[in-house]
Amino acid sequence: AQSVTQPDIHITVSEGASLELRCNYSYGATPYLFWYVQSPGQGLQLLLKYFSGDTLVQGIKGFEAEFKRSQSSFNLRKPSVHWSDAAEYFCAVGANNAGNMLTFGGGTRLMVKP
Amino acid sequence: KAGVTQTPRYLIKTRGQQVTLSCSPISGHRSVSWYQQTPGQGLQFLFEYFSETQRNKGNFPGRFSGRQFSNSRSEMNVSTLELGDSALYLCASTLTGLVTEAFFGQGTRLTVV
């Protein structure tokens, strides 16, 4: 069975600083990996996804993520954080033999200091 | 194009009652998944429906059930509500039956008192 770990529950960065959110997954085959963002009281919005090919994927809102098979990681990055990026971020993994079932990490809450 | 619509947005129920939540997927999408989100357990998969058939089910008691109609709209039902069922219930819609990006609704916030 697949699993996802997001080691950082809370992260605070200053506006304009760079950001990296960590995600480690456990899955026997090539995973399908996703990053979602959730604002308070809202649903999840997809930031980016990795299925295969180029291991550096670009997403919306200036986010990117890099798939590293050797480290079982899929970390999310942004070079310069904006106050509007404050939200909760979820990493998720899907399996190609499990329909559309996603397994989510526990989430990382991002706070942005002015 | 309209997104995923979940109704109602907020619901307050009493212990022991039952509740039905509704999800209308994006037009043309055939797969609907349901997730429960709580502060303690995070996001947990409930079940997935594709072409009116339940394909996957998470580790929840039988009080949680669902169905999908021929127009792909889905409902989930929780019977004999418990305080611990208080959560944000999210519905996700995907185009096909394969793993691909899922589009989420805004959720239904259920409070059991």
Side-chain angles (χ1 to χ4, degrees), chain A residues 5 33 50-51 56 58 60 68 72 76 82 87 102 108 114:
Chain A
T5 302
L33 294 162
Y50 171 79
F51 287 173
L56 183 63
Q58 302 297 321
I60 63 171
K68 293 186 177 179
S72 296
L76 182 71
H82 187 262
L102 296 177
T108 297

Side-chain angles (χ1 to χ4, degrees), chain B residues 4 23-26 29 31-33 91-95 101-105:
Chain B
V4 180
C23 172
S24 293
I26 293 171
H29 284 200
S31 172
V32 172
S33 302
C91 164
S93 139
T94 50
L95 180 61
E101 58 261 47
F103 296 87
F104 282 79

Side-chain angles (χ1 to χ4, degrees), chain B residues 19-87:
Chain B
V19 67
T20 300
L21 312 182
S22 178
C23 172
S24 293
I26 293 171
S27 177
H29 284 200
R30 296 169 62 194
S31 172
V32 172
S33 302
W34 289 88
Y35 294 82
Q36 181 196 64
Q37 185 177 25
T38 60
Q41 299 298 317
L43 278 155
Q44 294 185 285
F45 172 78
L46 279 157
F47 27 65
E48 181 213 356
Y49 288 88
F50 178 72
S51 293
E52 301 179 65
T53 300
Q54 185 182 91
R55 290 205 300 182
N56 290 292
K57 189 177 192 307
N59 189 25
F60 279 82
R63 300 183 298 105
F64 291 81
S65 63
R67 60 179 175 169
Q68 187 181 34
F69 302 95
S70 58
N71 62 358
S72 293
R73 190 177 71 85
S74 177
E75 289 181 347
M76 67 163 282
N77 183 275
V78 188
S79 61
T80 319
L81 284 165
E82 301 177 359
L83 295 180
D85 297 333
S86 295

